[in-house]
Amino acid sequence: MKDCCLFGRKKTANTSILDSNNVPDYTGVSVFYGFRSQLKDVNPFEIDFETACCQVIRANKYLADTHNTMIQFQMLKPGDWYVMGKEDGQMKYSFRFDNEVEAMEVAKEKFKAVRFLQMPEFI
């Protein structure tokens, strides 16, 4: 069985997966959760975000490097938007959108999302 380098706490020769404290850096990451029609009118504070059908994500350097390492191809750059969600029990990705609107259109088509929310902050 091949060991996955994505979850290792090591640095590669040309790409730093984790910062110097071995902590993932999510600075500048934006995430919109997509929901299907049954949650269209539900109050955002009553939604279980685990029920999202997909996520629309703006990558920072950490996420771009992590995904590029995982797929073993230099696909994402910091600032790119991408979509991920489950389809038939498998994770599916759509890559490299210039903005969230383009990515959300793909999420609507591919994952049947009708509503997008960011997780509410509790103060």
Side-chain angles (χ1 to χ4, degrees):
M1 173 186 286
K2 179 182 177 202
D3 290 327
C4 180
C5 61
L6 177 62
F7 300 108
R9 294 191 178 273
K10 61 183 178 181
K11 293 183 180 182
T12 61
N14 60 0
T15 303
S16 173
I17 299 298
L18 299 172
D19 72 10
S20 60
N21 296 322
N22 289 332
V23 176
D25 177 15
Y26 294 108
T27 306
V29 172
S30 296
V31 179
F32 291 90
Y33 295 82
F35 297 94
R36 293 196 172 110
S37 61
Q38 63 268 30
L39 296 174
K40 188 173 112 183
D41 298 319
V42 176
N43 180 328
F45 291 98
E46 296 174 2
I47 290 179
D48 177 2
F49 277 72
E50 295 289 322
T51 64
C53 62
C54 60
Q55 294 177 357
V56 174
I57 302 168
R58 181 176 182 261
N60 67 358
K61 182 176 179 357
Y62 167 75
L63 282 181
D65 289 349
T66 300
H67 280 83
N68 291 339
T69 299
M70 182 176 64
I71 63 174
Q72 299 178 354
F73 187 73
Q74 294 299 310
M75 178 70 103
L76 281 176
K77 305 178 312 230
D80 286 342
W81 288 85
Y82 67 99
V83 179
M84 70 177 214
K86 279 191 177 176
E87 186 176 66
D88 299 325
Q90 295 184 357
M91 289 304 294
K92 302 287 183 174
Y93 297 89
S94 294
F95 290 100
R96 297 214 49 203
F97 301 100
D98 291 330
N99 57 59
E100 68 275 18
V101 174
E102 290 177 8
M104 286 177 187
E105 288 301 317
V106 169
K108 288 176 185 178
E109 180 181 317
K110 192 169 191 172
F111 298 106
K112 310 296 185 250
V114 298
R115 179 182 190 183
F116 296 93
L117 296 170
Q118 288 187 307
M119 197 171 292
E121 284 187 42
F122 296 98
I123 299 174

